[in-house]
Amino acid sequence: MSYLKNLQIIGVTARIKRISDTLMHDARRVYEYLELPIEPNWHLIFLLLKEQEQLSVTEISKALEFSHPSVITIIKKMKKVGYVTSRVHTKDSRKQIIELTEKAHKELPKLQAEWDQIKIAVRDIFDNEFLGQLEMVEEKMEQKGLLSRVIEIKTNTNDQN
């Protein structure tokens, strides 16, 4: 058994990070194998813009719960290969409106077909029970983060002494 597994709950963050890193690395390899000229986190932007047609960087950031700088980085890369375009918002010049290009719309059916195959492989790794547990963890963290929980425990421990 690995050291992290032996640590049980105290090793959970390292294990989650390792899983995340492995999935991202594998996803890059999958896209290379399928000869898709995209990066793993682009598909979320594709899907969101396909559904919403046009959004600001802030709206994309909120919808995906990604940091604003990470969305800007993704958009710049997608722009560079011609999948998205941006224009200044008509009422607020600080905002950029992002849209899929004609090239992106043409390639979406092929990309969607490949994403459907990838989804089958991902379901083989993560079942609905895991997804339910993940949702529960996310909800608990939204209600009260780790810092708040530690402060509460320390306060309760100090009150008892």
Side-chain angles (χ1 to χ4, degrees):
M1 187 184 283
S2 80
Y3 182 70
L4 290 176
K5 286 181 185 175
N6 282 334
L7 290 175
Q8 296 186 3
I9 197 70
I10 203 72
V12 74
T13 55
R15 291 175 70 188
I16 291 169
K17 173 84 167 102
R18 184 186 68 220
I19 290 168
S20 175
D21 291 350
T22 300
L23 285 170
M24 286 302 280
H25 177 73
D26 281 358
R28 281 188 178 84
R29 291 177 52 214
V30 166
Y31 285 137
E32 284 176 26
Y33 170 76
L34 297 173
E35 298 178 352
L36 298 177
I38 63 174
E39 292 186 23
N41 50 10
W42 294 9
H43 79 282
L44 300 171
I45 305 284
F46 271 105
L47 295 174
L48 187 60
L49 289 174
K50 178 185 171 193
E51 182 182 304
Q52 299 293 320
E53 294 184 21
Q54 55 181 286
L55 293 168
S56 70
V57 172
T58 302
E59 291 168 327
I60 293 169
S61 177
K62 285 181 182 174
L64 299 177
E65 298 181 39
F66 285 6
S67 71
H68 199 268
S70 67
V71 170
I72 289 172
T73 300
I74 295 168
I75 295 298
K76 282 182 182 178
K77 289 177 181 179
M78 291 179 75
K79 233 185 203 183
K80 191 174 183 178
V81 294
Y83 286 129
V84 296
T85 184
S86 67
R87 60 182 166 72
V88 175
H89 191 281
T90 54
K91 295 178 183 172
D92 186 348
S93 62
R94 297 170 297 166
K95 288 184 180 180
Q96 285 188 60
I97 301 300
I98 311 300
E99 298 177 279
L100 292 175
T101 62
E102 188 176 322
K103 174 183 176 179
H105 284 288
K106 283 181 183 175
E107 291 190 30
L108 262 172
K110 177 186 176 191
L111 293 171
Q112 188 64 58
E114 297 296 357
W115 290 329
D116 290 344
Q117 297 296 308
I118 293 167
K119 189 186 333 182
I120 293 168
V122 172
R123 281 184 197 253
D124 194 42
I125 298 169
F126 301 107
D127 61 14
N128 287 335
E129 184 179 342
F130 175 83
L131 294 176
Q133 289 288 316
L134 182 60
E135 190 171 331
M136 185 180 74
V137 168
E138 290 171 328
E139 287 172 4
K140 283 183 175 184
M141 291 183 74
E142 281 179 26
Q143 291 168 4
K144 191 185 317 179
L146 183 61
L147 176 60
S148 296
R149 292 172 191 275
V150 169
I151 290 169
E152 187 176 288
I153 291 165
K154 288 193 72 59
T155 301
N156 290 339
T157 303
N158 289 339
D159 288 347
Q160 291 174 2
N161 289 334

